Amino acid sequence: MSNPPVFLWEEIREKFENKETSLLLGKGFSCARGNDFKDSSLYQEASLQNNGGTSLSAEDIKIFNALGTENFEKVLATLSRTKEVVNEILGAQAHPPILQTIDKRYQNIQSSLIQAVKRVHIPWGEIKPEVLTVLTTVKEEILKYQNLFYTSYDLLIYWSLLSDGGTKGFQDYFKVNKFDPKSAIENHWLRVFYIHGGLHLYSKGEEILKIINPNKKEKPPKKEKGEHILKQCEDLWKKPDIRPLCMAEGTSTDKLKFINNSEYLSFAYGRLKQNTDKLVVLGNPLNLDKNLLDKNPDFNQHILDAIVEPSPKTVAISITVDDGDVAQQMEYWEGVMKPDDIQFFDEKSHPLCSPDITGEKQADRA
């Protein structure tokens, strides 16, 4: 049986670019925007010592080397499973030093990843005008949809939403800076859900808060101009009662625990599970290896379940034509979803992942 066609986005966009469609956007969007967000770059950044915040220790690096990977999810998932095996076979009481060592390494690697993602962002005030134009174009593209479910926790989408200085046309369920699931929303506005949290989100006690730029009337010191969000991250994370709301877990089971422990994340994830609209899956939100030879759906099985469970009307799934076996990618998706409800398209033909809109031709970093 022959494989279904791989369309260019232009061929099917009229069917999906409307307020009856939701967009599930993943790490591939961030990576297309610049190499800084790829696993290898984040690993190099996290390996740097004395670069502010937590860095990978020599012991952490040995674990990455032993597993032959620079993928944080793989390492964290391996540590999580190792702890389960040790606990099951040897018993937690019999070998507490082993479990304590695993926990210590897990927590340090986790923190190093979050810090690395923060550090690869340049301050807002240093973004070049041409890149700011790109971010504004990103906003124009995502406002075409009804819901945006974002699985990365970088600031690219958040910055895009703020890029033209306007706050109309979208709602993220934060009333000023506090999470409010009952926030009033215009029917035709884009609803934004950060499924795995974000650098700009944090918890303080029972409250879920969002970092926002200071009031323009406050006139912050010139040397800090444009650094508001990243500077606030740096200052807030030093406080003992502040916890960044960033997903940095290995297995899907651990991710679900993290989600269920957060009122905001469980709300956002619940909306994805309830979504029966048409759906566009773009930017590899399941974080599967492109060639699928080393795929591990357990990294994001919860996302896959949330896609399949509500049975959306029609799903457009991006395929990485340049990397990996296209037929194998299709077979994977057809194995977990109803084949008749799927249309495949070339990821780079979509405006949000094309070289033009992502700025690859204009700038190396954003």
Side-chain angles (χ1 to χ4, degrees):
M1 185 173 65
S2 60
N3 292 315
V6 177
F7 295 100
L8 296 176
W9 180 249
E10 189 63 35
E11 298 176 275
I12 62 173
R13 67 184 305 166
E14 188 173 335
K15 182 177 181 179
F16 290 97
E17 282 186 358
N18 52 60
K19 290 299 181 178
E20 296 177 355
T21 303
S22 295
L23 174 63
L24 175 61
L25 191 59
K27 183 180 177 182
F29 164 74
S30 306
C31 292
R33 187 56 203 91
N35 291 328
D36 290 333
F37 294 101
K38 294 182 177 179
D39 289 327
S40 57
S41 298
L42 292 175
Y43 175 74
Q44 291 175 10
E45 184 69 35
S47 300
L48 296 176
Q49 302 299 312
N50 301 319
N51 195 23
T54 307
S55 298
L56 294 174
S57 68
E59 292 82 2
D60 298 331
I61 293 173
K62 285 181 180 179
I63 297 173
F64 278 85
N65 292 339
L67 295 174
T69 185
E70 294 178 339
N71 185 306
F72 282 83
E73 278 194 326
K74 289 181 180 178
V75 173
L76 291 170
T78 299
L79 288 173
S80 182
R81 293 191 188 100
T82 300
K83 182 178 177 180
E84 290 176 4
V85 172
V86 171
N87 212 355
E88 181 69 25
I89 298 176
L90 303 179
Q93 299 303 318
H95 294 273
I98 296 177
L99 298 177
Q100 289 170 6
T101 298
I102 294 173
D103 282 340
K104 186 175 181 180
R105 299 276 57 82
Y106 189 101
Q107 292 166 10
N108 197 70
I109 292 171
Q110 190 179 56
S111 298
S112 299
L113 171 59
I114 296 173
Q115 289 284 352
V117 173
K118 182 176 76 71
R119 291 200 299 260
V120 299
H121 277 289
I122 62 173
W124 175 266
E126 295 179 22
I127 293 179
K128 298 176 182 178
E130 60 268 26
V131 177
L132 188 61
T133 299
V134 168
L135 294 176
T136 302
T137 307
V138 168
K139 178 177 180 178
E140 293 172 355
E141 284 294 324
I142 61 179
L143 287 183
K144 296 174 181 178
Y145 299 92
Q146 180 65 75
N147 298 297
L148 169 63
F149 300 101
Y150 194 47
T151 63
S152 296
Y153 51 80
D154 57 61
L155 293 171
L156 294 183
I157 286 296
Y158 186 48
W159 278 353
S160 296
L161 291 170
L162 302 177
S163 60
D164 60 358
T167 57
K168 292 185 178 180
F170 68 93
Q171 171 64 279
D172 59 7
Y173 294 92
F174 281 83
K175 192 172 183 179
V176 186
N177 69 327
K178 293 183 180 181
F179 171 55
D180 180 7
K182 298 180 180 179
S183 299
I185 186 168
E186 299 291 337
N187 287 335
H188 295 289
W189 280 20
L190 171 74
R191 296 166 173 82
V192 182
F193 302 94
Y194 297 96
I195 302 296
H196 288 167
L199 291 177
H200 59 310
L201 306 180
Y202 65 97
S203 60
K204 182 177 181 181
E206 297 298 319
E207 287 188 316
I208 305 297
L209 302 166
K210 179 177 71 172
I211 297 175
I212 59 176
N213 282 330
N215 190 308
K216 293 180 180 179
K217 296 179 181 180
E218 294 179 9
K219 296 183 180 180
K222 188 174 181 180
K223 66 178 181 179
E224 294 185 1
K225 184 180 180 181
E227 296 186 356
H228 307 321
I229 293 177
L230 291 176
K231 186 68 171 64
Q232 287 182 73
C233 278
E234 183 180 332
D235 294 339
L236 281 168
W237 293 0
K238 294 176 182 177
K239 298 180 179 180
D241 59 339
I242 298 297
R243 184 183 181 188
L245 196 61
C246 299
M247 177 71 74
E249 306 292 341
T251 67
S252 185
T253 299
D254 290 337
K255 287 185 171 77
L256 269 177
K257 288 179 181 177
F258 191 90
I259 287 171
N260 290 331
N261 284 330
S262 166
E263 181 186 6
Y264 170 75
L265 294 183
S266 57
F267 167 78
Y269 180 66
R271 293 300 293 266
L272 176 60
K273 290 180 66 177
Q274 297 166 13
N275 177 66
T276 56
D277 294 336
K278 290 183 288 186
L279 180 67
V280 175
V281 180
L282 177 66
N284 198 12
L286 299 187
N287 201 20
L288 298 173
D289 285 355
K290 288 183 177 179
N291 60 13
L292 294 183
L293 296 177
D294 191 24
K295 67 178 182 291
N296 190 338
D298 186 53
F299 290 163
N300 287 290
Q301 182 67 41
H302 63 297
I303 296 294
L304 184 59
D305 292 342
I307 297 173
V308 176
E309 184 177 318
S311 298
K313 299 173 184 176
T314 306
V315 182
I317 297 175
S318 65
I319 295 293
T320 51
V321 175
D322 295 340
D323 302 283
D325 189 318
V326 171
Q328 199 173 18
Q329 293 178 63
M330 290 181 171
E331 288 171 7
Y332 171 77
W333 282 108
E334 289 179 330
V336 296
M337 301 188 71
K338 297 178 182 178
D340 294 340
D341 296 338
I342 302 174
Q343 288 190 306
F344 296 104
F345 67 94
D346 180 354
E347 178 177 286
K348 288 190 175 180
S349 71
H350 193 286
L352 289 172
C353 284
S354 72
D356 292 330
I357 199 171
T358 57
E360 286 180 6
K361 295 180 180 178
Q362 300 168 347
D364 294 327
R365 302 183 71 182

